[in-house]
Amino acid sequence: MGTPRLTVIGGGNMGAALVSGLLRAGWTPDELTIVEVDAARRSVLAGHPFAGVTVVAEAAGPGSMQAALIAVKPGDVPGAVARAVQCGARRVLSIAAGVSLTTLC
């Protein structure tokens, strides 16, 4: 498998809703990866309507991301952004509530 077009870091309600919308809009499952630390939530995400989307506990490492969508709790944003950049993401979008640009950079 190649590098996904988008890695969503955080598979909670907001991250899952965005992935669902992208799939309905024509993105293919192999274009997406979801990083979710909670094992029970990963199990939910591995089923319908996300069948075929790669769901992992942590990002693979350097070169594993093109772009990242940060959909984690505000306190987890700095670590998620740092990991996305370490993995090669050059485009990072955050939907975390109340997080300043200073925190993202």
Side-chain angles (χ1 to χ4, degrees), residues 1-101:
M1 182 179 106
T3 304
R5 186 171 166 193
L6 178 66
T7 300
V8 177
I9 301 177
N13 291 334
M14 292 300 293
L18 283 161
V19 169
S20 182
L22 290 170
L23 291 169
R24 282 193 314 270
W27 286 48
T28 60
D30 64 325
E31 293 179 295
L32 299 162
T33 293
I34 302 171
V35 177
E36 174 54 53
V37 297
D38 183 79
R41 184 66 180 162
R42 279 196 311 275
S43 294
V44 170
L45 294 168
H48 180 76
F50 305 103
V53 173
T54 301
V55 181
V56 296
E58 63 183 53
S64 64
M65 285 186 207
Q66 292 182 34
L69 177 99
I70 308 299
V72 297
K73 303 254 185 258
D76 295 331
V77 168
V81 170
R83 184 63 180 154
V85 171
Q86 289 171 350
C87 291
R90 294 295 172 245
R91 294 176 306 275
V92 177
L93 171 67
S94 172
I95 60 168
V99 176
S100 68
L101 284 176

